[in-house]
Amino acid sequence: MRQEDIWDAETAQSYDTPGVGMFAPEVLEPTVDRLAELAGEGRALEFAIGTGRVAVPLAERGVPVTGIELSAPMIDQLRTKVDEATIPVIAGDMATATAPGKYTLVYLVFNTISNLLTQAEQVACFRNAARHLLPGGRFVIELWVPELRKLPSGQQAVVFHSEPGYIGLDTYDIVRQQLVSHHFTFDASRQARLFRSPHRYIWPSELDLMAQLAGFELESRHADWAGADFTAESRSHVSVYRIPPGN
Ligand SMILES: C[S@@+](CC[C@H](N)C(=O)[O-])C[C@H]1O[C@@H](n2cnc3c(N)ncnc32)[C@H](O)[C@@H]1O
């Protein structure tokens, strides 16, 4: 499963769900508030910008945003909303691609660092973020906490979410630190729609070490964008890394 094959035209065209799910105001507003605050007076760079779910409202807030994105169909979908002058996008891999200029903020949300399937690529992604930042700039990552406590010995699959018409199931390969997310969407008929994506899951402590290798230090970690405490029960985190001023 290559990322280019997953984020194809069909996925890109059905990605946006205006007003609901990841596009709900209660999800997006705190995200954009926090990112705008972290960008300050500077420019922001979104790794894996997708269809602009976050970038478009952040740009509307007055923060100049640039993106890097691997999938041409996802960029095409973004272009139905904003032009190149409003949100420039570099087609390429967030672990290696270069966007022009320097930024006060680089951000990578919605678990997307885990779409890089090796530790080496994930470290390269941190180093690429560092290369784009001004001194004192910040790299923000939103990532889920691996749910291995829910995986009994001998079992490979964990249901991470279920609601009427939807079941989300992760299958784990613990030796390789990989999982595949299976999203089943269905109605009363016998047909179900399946979207699958492979990931390399990362513990917060490993993420911090990757950050350190790229010259960052952890500035803050919260359970959500509104600043809730990160605890042993948190399912996700928003981690803010900073290049110490003077480095
Ligand atoms: C879950 S979507 C997130 C999109 C957007 N950031 C959002 O929050 O809605 C994952 C995105 O990552 C992109 N992607 C996956 N691997 C990538 C890589 N190595 N470099 C750049 N983009 C990548 C996919 O094409 C897809 O647009």
Side-chain angles (χ1 to χ4, degrees):
M1 257 189 280
R2 296 180 325 141
Q3 293 297 331
E4 293 89 329
D5 299 330
I6 296 165
W7 304 99
D8 62 5
E10 187 186 345
T11 301
Q13 277 157 25
S14 59
Y15 186 82
D16 288 13
T17 54
V20 295
M22 290 302 281
F23 287 77
E26 60 270 27
V27 174
L28 275 178
E29 279 169 15
T31 307
V32 170
D33 285 348
R34 181 80 172 118
L35 290 173
E37 178 196 338
L38 289 168
E41 298 300 307
R43 300 164 62 208
L45 174 63
E46 180 168 358
F47 280 179
I49 191 170
T51 66
R53 180 181 69 90
V54 174
V56 170
L58 186 60
E60 284 168 356
R61 193 69 73 85
V63 177
V65 184
T66 297
I68 292 177
E69 170 58 49
L70 198 60
S71 156
M74 293 293 273
I75 299 173
D76 291 345
Q77 202 57 33
L78 170 70
R79 287 283 163 259
T80 65
K81 301 176 218 169
V82 287
D83 61 17
E84 179 72 25
T86 310
I87 300 184
V89 177
I90 285 74
D93 187 328
M94 61 187 169
T96 53
T98 301
K102 295 281 181 194
Y103 301 83
T104 52
L105 175 71
V106 178
Y107 65 95
L108 177 52
V109 297
F110 202 178
N111 305 323
T112 304
I113 192 166
S114 71
N115 290 34
L116 297 168
L117 298 181
T118 67
Q119 189 184 53
E121 288 173 295
Q122 292 172 343
V123 171
C125 181
F126 270 95
R127 291 199 164 117
N128 201 25
R131 273 194 288 277
H132 283 92
L133 283 170
L134 290 161
R138 294 178 171 90
F139 184 32
V140 178
I141 293 206
E142 178 189 31
L143 184 63
W144 94 101
V145 179
E147 299 200 294
L148 285 182
R149 284 193 300 173
K150 289 189 181 167
L151 192 67
S153 176
Q155 191 175 308
Q156 272 90 45
V158 168
V159 173
F160 61 85
H161 187 74
S162 86
E163 63 182 46
Y166 174 82
I167 292 176
L169 186 77
D170 284 334
T171 53
Y172 282 82
D173 177 342
I174 291 173
V175 173
R176 294 175 52 245
Q177 202 168 317
Q178 304 279 320
L179 66 76
V180 178
S181 289
H182 308 252
H183 304 265
F184 297 93
T185 314
F186 50 88
D187 55 24
S189 76
R190 291 180 178 216
Q191 302 297 320
R193 194 161 174 271
L194 171 61
F195 175 76
R196 283 187 301 163
S197 57
H199 302 266
R200 179 178 187 273
Y201 58 88
I202 315 169
W203 299 102
S205 56
E206 187 189 6
L207 201 70
D208 294 349
L209 194 57
M210 291 181 186
Q212 212 182 102
L213 290 173
F216 289 102
E217 56 190 32
L218 180 68
E219 184 177 66
S220 66
R221 168 165 292 138
H222 291 101
D224 61 23
W225 291 99
D229 286 346
F230 181 74
T231 72
E233 303 309 317
S234 298
R235 296 188 73 190
S236 186
H237 57 100
V238 174
S239 295
V240 180
Y241 296 99
R242 191 163 196 209
I243 309 257
N247 278 22

